[in-house]
Amino acid sequence: MVTTMKQEFLDRIICLTISHHRASVEELEVASFKDESAACVELLDKGWVDEVGILQTCNRVEVYLTISEVGVDEETLGETAEEFLGSEDSENIDILRGLDALQHLFEVSSGMVSMVSGEDEILGQVADTFEHCVENGFSGSVLNPALEKAVHVGKRVRNETEINSGPRSIGSAAIRFAEKNLDDVEDAEFAMIGAGDVAELVSKSLKKRGYDSVYITDKDLSKARKVAEKVGGKALASEHNIDLFTEVDVVISATSAGDVIFDKEDLEDKIEGKTLILDLANPRDVDANVGELDRVELFDLDSLNCMLEENEERREKEKEKVKEIVDQELKKLMKKYKEKNAEEIVKNIYRKAEEVREREVEKALRMLEAENGGLSSEEREIIDEATRSIAEKILHDPVNSLKNASIEEDEEVVEVARSLFDLDE
């Protein structure tokens, strides 16, 4: 178990989360942010939020916060969670504080709580969140070390465990799922609607599995071509989307359209033979009423989740190794926070000492100048350097003791130092 640092500090760290573990695809659609930056600004404008980062994937939406007022109550946090994550059922939203929030972040980055245990996409998504926060100034001295450490945890887990063995991404799992539901696997033709990250992963998985008849479409034809070149597929403009439902056996849709782009009316006259449709988008690309068509088998992320649960038993042993890594890295993060806290105290002590030194040096210089008719610049510099050296040497040992006390959480020593140096003003 990780040794905790001062609880008031940890209680400032909050995670608001909704995920596939309890929420449906529809609820995750409602919770997703169309503009993450705007949402971050809106949260910071609340006044009691100091730092914010948003992590959202097809299976989870999470808001990480640090708050300025430890006294922000659960009711306020609950109202904020419902306001920003938009779930009508508040039981689907978790509010985590302190170590629980940090441990959850590390478990997310490790892939341990993903729909596909150990999947690789989530590590890149956490890294993107970190980059987005830093670039826009949304995070600072609390969230930045946590997000940076989360990326490190994700890399360690994938290098030191086999949590990601077997299908380890939504892309590869989707292909395995399609194969289980196809009548003629060897001659199957695929269409990939969208050319984003998920689409690229699916297309690469198709290539690895030996499928050479793959169409990739996107509203940006250059993006479709880029993916097609990597996987040996054929790129098409998005106006050909509907026609593909006539040509192929499997349609996999993973766009970022933000709304339904195919419904029953669009497809009922286009589908001639049995067609498998996998909708990997969140929000969904394919209306649920498409599944009513006689020749269509429609599956969404909820369907995929059911299949993936079958693989979880094999990974349980690896999860114990992951938990050990998470615990080790939490301890290191706590040590970093403690060191930073010590650095702040020491910086303030030296600041106080320097203010006193400067005042007293000026006073002494005025007296010397009055008696001796002035001092040379060399003499003034000697006095300045000598007094600075005296102050630093006097403070050296007590400051080192204070650093150690802060890291070891000896609050009695820290509080005595705060009082002696009047640091709470």
Side-chain angles (χ1 to χ4, degrees):
M1 188 66 184
V2 175
T3 301
T4 59
M5 63 185 298
K6 197 169 183 179
Q7 196 61 42
E8 287 84 352
F9 171 82
L10 290 175
D11 280 347
R12 294 179 54 221
I13 304 170
I14 310 291
C15 172
L16 314 176
T17 173
I18 183 171
S19 75
H20 66 282
H21 289 293
R22 289 207 300 271
S24 66
V25 171
E26 291 90 342
E27 287 169 317
L28 289 171
E29 287 176 2
V30 172
S32 63
F33 296 99
K34 295 189 184 301
D35 188 334
E36 292 180 19
S37 293
C40 287
V41 170
E42 190 175 347
L43 280 160
L44 290 168
D45 285 345
K46 285 189 173 293
W48 47 268
V49 176
D50 284 343
E51 303 176 40
V52 61
I54 292 175
L55 170 66
Q56 62 178 353
T57 73
C58 55
N59 293 315
R60 68 179 62 252
V61 181
E62 301 190 332
V63 180
Y64 290 88
L65 307 168
T66 64
I67 58 178
S68 54
E69 302 172 23
V70 176
V72 173
D73 57 28
E74 295 301 315
E75 183 178 355
T76 300
L77 291 175
E79 290 171 355
T80 303
E82 290 181 25
E83 176 189 353
F84 282 86
L85 299 183
S87 176
E88 293 181 2
D89 185 356
S90 59
E91 291 185 0
N92 290 334
I93 300 173
D94 285 320
I95 300 174
L96 307 173
R97 273 186 183 263
L99 276 176
D100 290 338
L102 293 170
Q103 180 173 322
H104 175 74
L105 172 60
F106 288 5
E107 289 176 349
V108 167
S109 186
S110 73
M112 191 166 73
V113 293
S114 295
M115 184 183 287
V116 183
S117 294
E119 53 103 353
D120 291 333
E121 295 101 315
I122 188 64
L123 176 55
Q125 289 158 336
V126 172
D128 289 343
T129 295
F130 178 35
E131 183 179 349
H132 180 252
C133 288
V134 172
E135 285 182 353
N136 291 278
F138 296 144
S139 57
S141 62
V142 180
L143 281 189
N144 282 347
L147 289 166
E148 184 176 26
K149 180 64 75 174
V151 174
H152 175 68
V153 167
K155 291 177 180 178
R156 267 198 71 187
V157 164
R158 286 159 181 81
N159 288 332
E160 298 176 25
T161 76
E162 295 182 7
I163 189 74
N164 61 348
S165 62
R168 59 180 185 265
S169 72
I170 293 294
S172 57
I175 302 310
R176 301 290 179 88
F177 186 79
E179 290 172 342
K180 287 183 68 174
N181 289 275
L182 282 171
D183 294 331
D184 184 4
V185 174
E186 291 184 4
D187 297 322
E189 292 186 288
F190 289 78
M192 186 70 241
I193 310 295
D197 292 341
V198 173
E200 186 168 340
L201 286 165
V202 172
S203 300
K204 285 180 178 178
S205 294
L206 284 169
K207 183 179 181 180
K208 286 180 182 178
R209 301 290 289 175
Y211 296 103
D212 54 12
S213 183
V214 182
Y215 298 91
I216 296 101
T217 79
D218 195 88
K219 62 183 179 181
D220 183 343
L221 184 56
S222 64
K223 287 179 66 177
R225 284 174 176 155
K226 186 177 179 181
V227 175
E229 286 173 5
K230 291 180 180 179
V231 301
K234 182 177 181 181
L236 296 172
S238 56
E239 52 259 34
H240 295 287
N241 284 348
I242 295 294
D243 296 332
L244 285 172
F245 284 87
T246 304
E247 302 292 330
V248 302
D249 304 289
V250 183
V251 176
I252 303 172
S253 194
T255 77
S256 56
D259 205 351
V260 168
I261 56 176
F262 304 113
D263 61 22
K264 183 178 179 181
E265 187 177 331
D266 296 325
L267 302 178
E268 57 187 351
D269 295 328
K270 291 291 183 180
I271 296 177
E272 298 174 354
K274 179 183 174 182
T275 303
L276 180 67
I277 302 174
L278 296 181
D279 186 354
L280 305 185
N282 182 27
R284 289 175 295 181
D285 286 338
V286 185
D287 195 294
N289 63 19
V290 171
E292 298 170 6
L293 296 173
D294 291 337
R295 296 174 298 279
V296 168
E297 289 187 60
L298 173 62
F299 301 94
D300 60 15
L301 288 167
D302 285 341
S303 308
L304 191 60
N305 190 26
C306 292
M307 185 204 93
L308 292 171
E309 287 173 357
E310 299 172 8
N311 298 323
E312 283 304 297
E313 280 186 29
R314 180 175 52 81
R315 294 187 171 103
E316 284 306 310
K317 288 184 180 178
E318 293 303 306
K319 286 186 177 181
E320 290 304 313
K321 297 177 186 176
V322 174
K323 288 177 183 176
E324 289 179 13
I325 292 173
V326 167
D327 194 53
Q328 290 167 9
E329 296 299 335
L330 267 177
K331 288 176 181 176
K332 291 177 183 177
L333 179 61
M334 289 302 100
K335 186 172 186 289
K336 187 169 186 175
Y337 281 145
K338 292 171 192 174
E339 289 171 347
K340 185 166 184 60
N341 181 53
E343 287 169 7
E344 285 297 314
I345 295 172
V346 168
K347 183 175 72 174
N348 286 329
I349 289 174
Y350 276 113
R351 176 181 57 78
K352 284 266 187 180
E354 180 64 12
E355 288 172 358
V356 172
R357 187 194 70 82
E358 287 179 352
R359 284 198 306 269
E360 296 306 313
V361 166
E362 278 302 313
K363 194 185 300 180
L365 289 176
R366 284 196 300 271
M367 292 172 62
L368 288 170
E369 287 173 347
E371 292 180 8
N372 300 314
L375 295 172
S376 68
S377 59
E378 288 84 0
E379 290 171 327
R380 292 177 66 91
E381 187 174 338
I382 289 170
I383 293 171
D384 190 64
E385 286 300 321
T387 54
R388 179 175 286 107
S389 177
I390 290 168
E392 288 176 354
K393 287 178 179 178
I394 290 172
L395 289 175
H396 181 268
D397 288 342
V399 159
N400 278 343
S401 297
L402 181 58
K403 281 182 182 179
N404 292 331
S406 182
I407 291 170
E408 295 298 324
E409 297 184 22
D410 188 338
E411 288 299 321
E412 187 176 350
V413 172
V414 173
E415 288 308 314
V416 167
R418 287 183 183 279
S419 177
L420 285 174
F421 290 95
D422 198 18
L423 298 181
D424 291 323
E425 63 179 17

